[in-house]
Amino acid sequence: MSVKLHLLAVIVLITQVVSAQTNINSSYFQVMSARALGPSTMSGRITSIEGINVDGQVNLYVGAAGGGIWKSQNGGQSFSPVFDKYCQSIGALAIEPGNAKVVYAGTGESNTRNSVSIGDGLYKTTDGGSNWQKIGLDSTERISKIIIDPSDKKTIWVAAPGPLWKSSPHRGLYKSVDGGKNWTKILYVNAETGCADIAMHPQKTNVMLASFWQFRRKPYAFNSGGPGSGLYKTEDGGKSWIKLTNGLPEGDLGRIVVSINPSKPAEILAIVEAKVPGLYISEDEGASWKKLAATENITARPFYFSTLVFDPKDSKRVYRPAFDFEYSIDGGYSWSNTLIGGVEPHSDQHALWINPNNTDMMFVGTDGGVYESMNKGSTWQFLNSLPVGQFYHVNTDNTVPYHVYGGLQDNNSWMAPNSSPGGVTAADWRVIGEGDGFWVGVNPLNPKIVFSESQGGEMNRIDLNTGLSFGIQPKKMEGEEAYRWNWNTPIVTGSSTKKSADGKPTYNLYTGAQYLFKSADEGRNWVRISPDLTTNNKQKQQQSENSGGITGDNTSAENHCTIFTIVQDPANEQIIWAGTDDGNLQLTIDGGKTWKNKAAGIWKAGVPENSWISSIELSALHSKRIYVTLDNHMYGDNNTYVVRSEDGGETWKRMQSPEFTGFAHIIREDIVNDQLLFLGTEMGLFISLDGGNNWLRSKYQNMPWYNLVRDIKIHSQTNDLVIATHGRGIYIIDNLQPLREMIKSDLKQDLIFYPVLPFKYDFAGQMPQSAPNLRGWVGENKVIAPVFYYYLKEKSNDAVKIEIYDTANKMIKNLNGSGLRGLNKIYWGININPPKVALGGFTAGSSVQYASIISPKVPVGKYKIVLKANGKSYEQQISVEANPAKGFTASSIEKLYQQGMRLYNLEEKLAVLVDTLDRSMTAVTGKGNAVDSSNKKWNTLNDLRKELIETNRKSIFFDEFKFRRRVSDLYLSVVFAIAPLSDSQEKGITALEHEFELFKTRVYDALK
């Protein structure tokens, strides 16, 4: 074939493959299902809890800041997600009075901190969460409260604070009178002011109070309050409103929380953000107010704490979950936070539901999950069953099994093994750093040394051997400006070719304020290797003067003009990239001596200037290829921005897709196949199989469709995809190799049976396991077994069969495959088909029953795999290999196999013998005839049968140890074993074999 023809053929093939890929979606590789690791031991922020009593059980719906909606039908003992196909940021929930199946969900939380997510409208279910329908208010971005009129359940009120980062007319108080089919904006102030809270008179449901709040965030400042804020009242169902001012603070107000006493509705409490914030009471339905004494917890951080709840039956009892949990027993005149034992709830509390049928029972939602009290809040217990942790970043090491590391919103930094005996439990997660956890770095040469970073650049080196933690933040030098640390300051490692003074390998450690710092000794000493890499805009550095608005709030969350992401080229430590939160993309190719800002080319590609550089990805396969994600949502722009350069950052091209939703956080190129890309945004994981030309939303990988994906890692040893989400913890998709193979394939073929990777003998860890009462929610372990992947162009209605043959071409195992369109997989337990066991007697729950389905593991060697589908056969080969490092030598595996086969053969011989005996006994009496008790031959045979099998056993609680049972007991101990019997133990097999021969002789003598 000529070169031209060969190239033409290649081009045609590539075109066909790309064309096929553009027509597929993520259901084509649904077998590559992610396993969730949690944790539940420290859950994430809870924004709403609503409950209802159904048939004596408490049904709960819990809304999470980034983890969707979870339902419990047993009072919080266990939960299931019910909102995984929709926006995961939940602002408010409401259950239709008297009907647990009708629930309204407002998306977009209103706890307006800097890291808050966004919503996309209001949803409704009429079947208890199985199905949801979006019913409007798509552009409100955040919803704070929903009230259903108990006298007319078609009347719904929705408070929408609206967008946080921009002006918008899509905010205010909305009303529907037809169950959400149509909406009217019933009260509106202006484009800067939204409805923060609403309360309804329990008897006169046309009487409503609504608080309005003027607020705005910028990347570098937060302003709570303004002339638009105020408290309003209607007495005619929203047709007319009056602004309530009598007794309330004068001047600009901020957020107002309002609560009507259900037992005494003329009485109303309100927490009012003002120059001097306070707690106010009205005893005349809001006409006039007076100020009450209040603790700091009552008035603290109004933008973040907006819950105030009266006891449904006790008019004097009021609860204020905020920085901590306080309650009043005199209607709000005095407050206490006394706890009597139990677990102290996590600080920062946002939701409270009190069971109206038993007001001792309550559930509080915090930044760390849900807690339950059975005595009005005096003591609490943590519900360790909600895996809604909010990770910012994830990292891994190369231990076996490898660990995952990451920082959680308001919940420290953590580590856990990716697999653990019995599953990854709450007890497997360990704290390695305090504060709001963000980045965790791992020493690439010694995984016992890790680095954690918390808010505002606080960073530590942790020695996991000693348990000691050392502060390592760089300190300001004489003549330098004060260091500006981002809320989410990076701390990352990089490879090095240099040696230490004693000749040992070293690595680099980096962190950044406005300057980039480098350490060669694990943070003991730092060298500044850059000038100010930011725009150094002084107008964006006034946090201490004006952040927070009326009441002020400056916790480093608004620090700006800082370095946000750092990447060192793994192949060249002189090449370092740094991205800033004010839009600079800086590059050095000489280890920091000189720097060049590459951002201008990105703006030319269609990305707004000053967008945050949220991540930088250097291709492992192309030295000049760089990807950058950018985030502009803090300027009110939620579009997805990702660009790529093929020339080292000189020019850039924007990558776009109609599939994209949410602002971009992270992009990764596969380390083996450059056509495979992963993009994480605030509203989804997106996958490209053709180098970014086309993108698929991940819908069928056992993760929420609109997952808040903040970080992604591809593990270099296992090829696992590790995903950090800001609301559903850590997910892992094990081994990307099948997806890589699928990308290279001609997907127009009817069936493709992919090459099978060699398998080294190994087994999942068995011990030690966590105590059952400490496990909480349990994450799934990685499956350790050979796996066969095949692709079907169309769904197969015919059976798919797999047969495994040994080197003698003897079929030793057959398996049933799946017939899914796209990628399919099936695991092989490295075993043969099970033996036939002797029939008769009651075998349920005994070793005899299990012996009929469990079989010996195969020895080391090569095996032929034959896949049969649609009348055709396809072949692959697998090599089963020894694993001496784990103790699985070829000789020990062979010995275990031989021992198992001796017992396997004994099981089958016994089955034949008992069958012969049964048929002979039937022949003696005649089929269906009664037994003649004087029949000596039959009695002799029956006595032998009673010695061979268990005939008196009638239940699982009655054991008989006849010959069959003793054979099966030893057989199972061998086939379950991972090491062969010792020489002395093996004599037990010999004894059974000899005993069998004696039985055989006696049976055949009796048959003569």
Side-chain angles (χ1 to χ4, degrees), residues 21 24-27 29-30 32 655 657 659-660 667-668 670 675-681 684-701 703 712 721 723 733 736 739 742-743:
Q21 289 171 353
I24 69 174
N25 57 52
S26 62
S27 69
F29 44 93
Q30 61 184 286
M32 298 193 67
M655 306 169 79
S657 170
E659 286 285 332
F660 288 165
I667 187 170
R668 295 292 182 206
D670 184 32
Q675 297 300 293
L676 182 56
L677 303 176
F678 302 93
L679 174 67
T681 80
L685 173 67
F686 300 90
I687 303 169
S688 176
L689 309 179
D690 57 8
N693 293 313
N694 297 278
W695 292 85
L696 317 171
R697 179 185 294 278
S698 173
K699 293 183 177 180
Y700 303 100
Q701 281 66 54
M703 294 182 289
I712 300 169
L721 189 74
I723 303 163
I733 297 177
L736 293 173
L739 202 50
M742 195 176 95
I743 291 172

Side-chain angles (χ1 to χ4, degrees), residues 112 164 213-218 220-227 229 251-255 272-277 299 301-304 542-555 558:
T112 52
L164 173 61
W213 177 32
Q214 182 174 326
F215 64 100
R216 173 68 64 82
R217 270 200 182 276
K218 297 178 181 179
Y220 47 86
F222 175 58
N223 186 67
S224 177
S229 300
D252 289 349
L253 303 180
R255 191 166 191 170
V272 182
E273 182 182 11
K275 189 173 182 180
V276 179
T299 58
R301 304 192 89 185
F303 81 92
Y304 203 45
Q542 309 300 316
Q543 289 78 24
S544 61
E545 284 78 24
N546 58 20
S547 184
I550 291 176
T551 50
D553 196 274
N554 180 28
T555 60
E558 290 79 34

